[in-house]
Amino acid sequence: MSGRGRVSLFVTCVVDQLFPSAGLAMADVLEGLGYDVAFPPQQTCCGQPAFNSGYPNQAREVALQFLEVFRAAGHDADHIVVPSGSCTAMISHHFADLNLNPPRVWEFSQFLLEVARVEDVGARFDGVVTFHDSCHALRELHIKQGPRRLLGKVRGLTLKEMSIPEECCGFGGMFSVKFPEISQGMTRTKIASIVETGASAVVALDASCLMQLQGALRRDGHSVRTMHLAEVLASR
Amino acid sequence: MGRESVLARVRQALGRRPEPAPVPPPLATSLSTPKSDSAPQVLAELFAKNLESLAGKCVAVKEISQVAPLVASLLAGKTGVASNAAFLGECGITGLPNVQSGFTDREALRAACATADAGITSADYALADTGTLVMLSSQEEARLISLLPPSHIAVFPRARLLSGLDELLEKLPLPADQSSAMVLITGPSRTADIEQILVRGVHGPGEVQAIIVG
Amino acid sequence: METNIQQTVADPKLQLAIYTATGRLKDKRSESVGPDALPQYQELRNRANLLKRHAIENLDLYLEQFAANVEAHGGKVIFCDDGTQVADFVLGLAKERGARLIVKSKSMTTEEIDLNERLEHHQLESVETDLGEYILQLAHERPYHIVAPALHKTRYDVADIFTRRLGVEREEAIEKQTMLARRVLREKFLSADIGITGANFLVADSGAVVVVENEGNARLSMSVPKIHIVIAGIEKVIPRAQDLAVFLKLLARSATGQPLSVYTSFVSGPRRPGEIDGPDEFYVVLLDNGRTKLLADPEKRQSLFCIRCGACLNACPVYRKIGGHNYPWIYSGPIGAIITPQFHGFSEAGWLPFASSLCGACGEVCPVKIEIPKVLLALRREVNAAKPKSWEYRAFQVWAWVMRHPRGYQFLSRLAPRGAMQSLLPVRNVPPLAPKSFRQLWAEREKAKQARHGA
């Protein structure tokens, strides 16, 4: 058992399948701070896709899986850390709508600032980045300055604000599939603002936003990278 | 509606308890604008600042005797219709050349206002924090004088200044008891309906001039 | 519907017009409710929500109180089930009085029931007097935005419309266009028989109607003609005049960033003895038109709190992309998305609640704290529940089963085509799966760790 205790990772289905580097980076940072990191392997999803699409029964089924996994083997006695604002908000704000009682979960940046009480994780990243405020992190978890403070402590990093950091990236789950023109239109407005900053990377707390932005950036031939906050903080 | 009233009487006659009147949440006095800076001089300055930020104009004069010459110079030979406000009479405005007043007939008033260059009124109250004139329709103040002519001049004593809407509603919790029409006038008429470009005086007066006396 | 959205999104001039106009209103609002300008903003919102909730939950009693007070001041109240009854009343009164010309100020409620069309059918001229609405009336178009109805029109469009419909010389300067409208409409005001306005608030303890505007056309409509008719939805009731201290501080700021609109009128009946001018007759028409349906749903009746400020439209990234004409009803933006399906049912408007990324910007700016995202979700659930056999429902059932059975999930995870394999699939728009999933990488990492520390 290391110095600071044990944390359990709920990596989220998006990170598991599409952005595993964000999960690994998060684990690196947490281990670097002295935490033992556990990954309960029976985890799958928090149920948000079904909940947001208006299928509460299916969402509840999946949410139950989350609860079982994180109640087993004393996992929910640890801190549960999540590399996603929207999944954290789903659990902390909307499990109650499904008549479920969730354990406390922490979005990654919140965990660093409020539990680990650290702003400088010893990271180094040379370059200009801009930060995208994911909707659920911003409006449900009220996260705004926290990630910026963390980025402010990264050596070599310059943070440049885009003109519209709080505007939605256009993903919205099934919305991007059902209304692709609107979704893509929103994304294009967003990436214009990102590109305007001259940043080499756009950073966010949510991999689904990054995926949405990445698609459009690549399609339009921009060289701006998408990075999860954890990946920046794990950079040395 | 007849059905409702009959039933209501039936209920009453049978001694059915009438619905108790709903009790609204208490007024949030804690949310009222603080009145600490309510010295008349401060209010006058605040009023002027706020009205001017809306492209209105405001002049303060110490003596009543200064008002009539000031209004005359503002009119500069153009025509005006003045309301029957006693204060305007005191200021000698009704005696100015080119200024008609004393209308009690609606049609005659309307005809005069439709062609006059300026409407001259007093104000029942003025709100400092927004640069607002408060006018209640009465035998002294007609509605159309501050509305039809392209220019509006409002002359009122400094004592009628209030800090803001909160104070007004405290003084007049039931404006409907006073008048059929109360209007809060905050600057000149404006629109930005075409390309969001601001244009003043689209329907109401494009010029608002306040004169604070005292 | 779909192709119009495509067109709108692909039209760069329209996109620019919508984005800049809403952007300006959004920024102005933001400044005017900031901590320096209005430090009690959040408390005022809470209070406004409380007052609206109380008024709506006691709507029957407040409507009665309101009507009694209107009548005590010499006015008349007419309750109407729907637009037909409203039109019948107006037509009946116009006929009795020999009225020919009506001047109208901006009222979404009258647009909701197509009042002008109904009146024109009976040879009554009903002229819109708000500048934006007047332009649209000439162009036979409906409003694009609750507060800025003609935001999609350029000065050149306006020049076209005026030349064509008024027969005047072409004029492209905005100020001159405005003054032209002023001249034309001034004549209408002075000769109109009836003035029709909407109402922002119906004040129960006063029997009064509050109308908020910047141009002065509502004041003219209610003060020049001999008859003033107010047409308002029943949900506009607030308990006391003093409650305006809360609502008026929020309304203009939320709509346009002004501390107060230019004119706030508080009228409670025809002119009283001694008053020199004002109408002889005063009518308040209270419209249901389906509002009682919304009222019956405890979870969604908060949709009736709306004070029509338009802030949610300006904040909504979807509205800012598709504009007002791609919404099926007169109310657009997030508020339109939640009330349209409730008023008109799902066959027409069932798609609307899904045309949202649930970003929550709307709920954040609503001055009366309607939980718009929550209502959108409730509507999504209802729409889905009405079609349980859809392929999407079945797909989510399968998806839920997989997520509930980690072995199944892990099996599929190992099986899924990744990298080069995935690009061979004929499916587009599926994001690229990582070459190895996190759980796979984690397992490898743990194995490597164990190996390092000696098995």
Side-chain angles (χ1 to χ4, degrees):
Chain A
M1 204 35 142
S2 289
R4 298 191 94 179
R6 192 166 73 150
V7 299
S8 288
L9 301 185
F10 175 61
V11 295
T12 79
C13 58
V14 171
V15 165
D16 187 24
Q17 295 297 328
L18 306 174
F19 257 80
S21 53
L24 292 170
M26 186 169 85
D28 286 341
V29 172
L30 293 167
E31 280 174 354
L33 291 173
Y35 288 96
D36 271 332
V37 176
F39 170 72
Q42 306 292 69
Q43 62 182 265
T44 54
C45 174
C46 64
Q48 190 189 180
F51 185 76
N52 283 349
S53 299
Y55 295 103
N57 295 335
Q58 286 69 27
R60 193 166 198 279
E61 248 188 85
V62 174
L64 282 170
Q65 176 66 14
F66 172 89
L67 287 177
E68 266 177 36
V69 168
F70 282 91
R71 291 214 174 109
H75 278 298
D76 70 338
D78 293 330
H79 294 105
I80 304 169
V81 189
V82 186
S84 161
S86 65
C87 303
T88 303
M90 173 67 203
I91 297 162
S92 61
H93 286 51
H94 297 293
F95 268 32
D97 295 338
L98 299 169
N99 293 319
L100 295 171
N101 198 13
R104 184 82 165 84
V105 295
W106 296 91
E107 182 278 328
F108 177 54
S109 71
Q110 272 184 330
F111 179 80
L112 290 178
L113 293 165
E114 294 176 43
V115 181
R117 303 199 151 268
V118 67
E119 272 184 32
D120 184 347
V121 300
R124 155 154 230 116
F125 183 88
D126 290 302
V128 179
V129 312
T130 189
F131 187 78
H132 159 63
D133 290 295
S134 317
C135 297
H136 298 282
L138 177 67
R139 298 194 178 95
E140 289 188 283
L141 303 178
H142 308 293
I143 296 174
K144 176 72 184 181
Q145 289 310 321
R148 289 167 168 83
R149 277 164 34 215
L150 291 164
L151 289 170
K153 291 288 194 287
V154 176
R155 291 150 193 73
L157 184 148
T158 306
L159 176 62
K160 186 132 189 268
E161 292 287 350
M162 67 177 97
S163 56
I164 50 171
E166 299 184 359
E167 272 186 39
C168 179
C169 70
F171 177 56
M174 289 298 285
F175 168 73
S176 60
V177 175
K178 291 184 172 176
F179 296 93
E181 296 97 352
I182 309 177
S183 168
Q184 287 303 315
M186 285 160 65
T187 311
R188 250 180 267 117
T189 300
K190 189 79 187 191
I191 66 174
S193 179
I194 290 170
V195 168
E196 199 182 40
T197 63
S200 56
V202 53
V203 181
L205 303 176
D206 278 72
S208 44
C209 300
L210 293 171
M211 185 186 74
Q212 178 76 6
L213 295 171
Q214 191 177 70
L217 286 165
R218 290 238 177 96
R219 246 194 317 275
D220 291 359
H222 297 291
S223 59
V224 183
R225 295 169 61 185
T226 54
M227 292 181 78
H228 192 279
L229 178 72
E231 293 177 286
V232 179
L233 296 181
S235 304
R236 288 288 178 274
Chain B
M1 288 255 294
R3 174 176 171 270
E4 303 246 71
S5 46
V6 167
L7 288 176
R9 288 196 294 275
V10 169
R11 282 185 210 111
Q12 200 174 31
L14 295 172
R16 299 251 190 266
R17 306 195 122 256
E19 283 280 0
V23 180
L27 294 169
T29 41
S30 61
L31 293 179
S32 301
T33 323
K35 294 206 295 280
S36 50
D37 259 324
S38 52
Q41 183 50 36
V42 175
L43 290 182
E45 282 168 9
L46 192 58
F47 175 88
K49 182 176 100 160
N50 285 317
L51 180 54
E52 280 162 7
S53 73
L54 298 169
K57 299 201 183 70
C58 186
V59 176
V61 298
K62 284 238 137 272
E63 308 294 333
I64 272 194
S65 55
Q66 295 168 277
V67 177
L70 176 56
V71 173
S73 74
L74 286 172
L75 288 176
K78 295 205 274 201
T79 58
V81 172
S83 75
N84 303 336
F87 190 66
L88 293 185
E90 283 170 45
C91 293
I93 289 174
T94 46
L96 288 173
N98 303 332
V99 173
Q100 295 177 279
S101 64
F103 290 97
T104 49
D105 174 73
R106 181 177 62 189
E107 270 56 51
L109 173 74
R110 201 172 91 159
C113 287
T115 52
D117 297 308
I120 308 162
T121 68
S122 183
D124 294 278
Y125 301 98
L127 308 182
D129 68 2
T130 43
T132 299
L133 300 164
V134 181
M135 304 198 50
L136 277 75
S137 177
S138 67
Q139 51 199 19
E140 293 208 345
E141 293 285 4
R143 300 187 192 191
L144 295 179
I145 299 181
S146 62
L147 182 55
L148 279 176
S151 179
H152 176 206
I153 302 172
V155 188
F156 59 90
R158 199 166 71 164
R160 294 195 194 161
L161 276 163
L162 302 176
S163 57
L165 188 61
D166 293 316
E167 202 182 342
L168 176 68
L169 289 167
E170 255 175 72
K171 273 202 148 50
L172 285 187
L174 289 169
D177 285 355
Q178 319 294 327
S179 167
S180 75
M182 176 177 76
V183 65
L184 308 181
I185 299 174
T186 309
S189 147
R190 56 188 271 170
T191 183
D193 274 351
I194 306 174
E195 291 189 22
Q196 300 282 297
I197 304 280
L198 185 62
V199 178
R200 294 202 175 85
V202 52
H203 289 298
E207 281 175 17
V208 174
Q209 166 86 56
I211 301 174
I212 309 178
V213 186
Chain C
M1 214 74 249
E2 282 297 326
T3 41
N4 287 336
I5 289 178
Q6 257 171 20
Q7 252 176 28
T8 308
V9 174
D11 181 339
K13 271 191 0 213
L14 190 50
Q15 285 294 301
L16 190 63
I18 301 169
Y19 197 75
T20 34
T22 50
R24 203 167 283 146
L25 291 169
K26 188 159 100 97
D27 291 340
K28 290 223 180 97
R29 171 207 157 267
S30 190
E31 240 181 81
S32 72
V33 302
D36 297 318
L38 193 67
Q40 321 127 315
Y41 174 60
Q42 292 302 336
E43 290 167 70
L44 283 167
R45 286 179 82 208
N46 288 335
R47 184 127 289 257
N49 177 273
L50 200 63
L51 286 167
K52 274 285 175 178
R53 184 174 304 280
H54 170 80
I56 290 292
E57 287 175 359
N58 293 283
L59 192 59
D60 53 342
L61 301 166
Y62 280 119
L63 283 172
E64 281 178 352
Q65 188 188 18
F66 173 75
N69 282 324
V70 169
E71 280 158 16
H73 290 129
K76 290 219 174 66
V77 176
I78 297 95
F79 285 81
C80 290
D81 295 328
D82 57 27
T84 306
Q85 289 185 4
V86 175
D88 287 344
F89 165 71
V90 176
L91 289 166
L93 183 65
K95 188 153 175 222
E96 259 179 71
R97 302 283 181 273
R100 291 287 175 74
L101 176 62
I102 296 175
V103 284
K104 245 188 103 268
S105 72
K106 194 149 81 73
S107 161
M108 297 300 288
T109 309
T110 57
E111 309 259 5
E112 184 187 320
I113 56 175
D114 293 320
L115 184 65
N116 286 344
E117 280 79 347
R118 294 175 193 263
L119 299 179
E120 270 154 33
H121 236 76
H122 290 87
Q123 285 85 48
L124 259 181
E125 191 188 348
S126 175
V127 183
E128 291 291 340
T129 59
D130 170 272
L131 178 62
E133 297 273 355
Y134 177 58
I135 292 167
L136 294 180
Q137 185 176 43
L138 292 175
H140 297 298
E141 278 186 45
R142 61 178 170 105
Y144 212 78
H145 184 286
I146 287 175
V147 163
L151 78 78
H152 60 309
K153 295 282 181 222
T154 65
R155 70 193 75 181
Y156 310 107
D157 296 326
V158 176
D160 290 340
I161 293 164
F162 279 179
T163 321
R164 202 169 49 240
R165 297 300 312 275
L166 300 176
V168 295
E169 243 185 75
R170 187 177 178 82
E171 178 54 71
E172 289 178 0
I174 291 175
E175 179 146 354
K176 295 222 173 83
Q177 292 172 340
T178 307
M179 290 305 127
L180 168 65
R182 176 192 166 97
R183 270 198 311 277
V184 172
L185 292 170
R186 184 53 66 100
E187 284 187 37
K188 302 286 183 189
F189 286 122
L190 291 174
S191 50
D193 305 298
I194 297 176
I196 296 182
T197 69
N200 294 87
F201 304 101
L202 302 170
V203 187
D205 73 352
S206 310
V209 155
V210 177
V211 182
V212 168
E213 54 156 342
N214 282 314
E215 296 186 8
N217 59 308
R219 276 182 77 196
L220 285 166
S221 302
M222 66 176 73
S223 301
V224 182
K226 296 208 175 95
I227 300 172
H228 177 202
I229 303 176
V230 178
I231 302 179
I234 52 176
E235 84 283 15
K236 297 287 175 70
V237 179
I238 61 173
R240 302 162 294 204
Q242 287 177 289
D243 296 327
L244 291 168
V246 172
F247 291 109
L248 289 180
K249 286 199 194 111
L250 293 171
L251 178 54
R253 285 175 201 266
S254 302
T256 54
Q258 299 166 272
L260 274 183
S261 297
V262 179
Y263 304 114
T264 304
S265 298
F266 185 99
V267 287
S268 60
R271 63 170 170 164
R272 299 189 190 171
E275 288 177 14
I276 302 161
D277 57 8
D280 297 319
E281 298 174 58
F282 179 76
Y283 302 93
V284 183
V285 176
L286 296 177
L287 179 65
D288 179 355
N289 207 33
R291 284 154 175 75
T292 43
K293 241 191 323 192
L294 276 69
L295 192 62
D297 183 330
E299 198 190 357
K300 304 207 290 296
R301 68 167 67 118
Q302 57 178 307
S303 314
L304 293 172
F305 296 0
C306 180
I307 61 174
R308 305 283 191 256
C309 69
C312 60
L313 275 66
N314 302 327
C316 177
V318 172
Y319 175 88
R320 299 180 79 192
K321 255 314 128 199
I322 71 177
H325 284 177
N326 280 308
Y327 291 80
W329 201 25
I330 197 70
Y331 302 104
S332 53
I335 186 66
I338 61 172
I339 67 176
T340 308
Q342 294 184 69
F343 274 91
H344 293 291
F346 295 153
S347 51
E348 217 189 284
W351 62 272
L352 255 181
F354 293 92
S356 162
S357 65
L358 292 179
C359 79
C362 50
E364 206 177 36
V365 300
C366 177
V368 291
K369 292 184 88 161
I370 302 171
E371 299 162 297
I372 301 177
K374 192 161 178 214
V375 180
L376 285 168
L377 279 171
L379 287 166
R380 290 182 183 192
R381 289 194 287 267
E382 282 177 38
V383 170
N384 292 341
K387 31 180 186 145
K389 300 276 192 266
S390 72
W391 72 263
E392 190 187 74
Y393 175 75
R394 298 202 196 283
F396 268 102
Q397 273 186 317
V398 171
W399 172 89
W401 187 95
V402 171
M403 293 303 176
R404 189 68 169 102
H405 295 87
R407 289 237 173 84
Y409 174 82
Q410 285 159 25
F411 177 71
L412 285 175
S413 176
R414 274 197 293 278
L415 214 57
R418 295 171 189 276
M421 291 301 294
Q422 188 185 4
S423 56
L424 292 178
L425 288 182
V427 195
R428 278 171 46 237
N429 287 336
V430 177
L433 296 179
K436 289 183 183 172
S437 67
F438 174 87
R439 56 190 62 233
Q440 199 183 340
L441 290 166
W442 182 262
E444 290 172 11
R445 174 181 157 131
E446 289 298 279
K447 229 200 272 173
K449 226 195 271 177
Q450 274 176 4
R452 273 202 305 279
H453 294 217

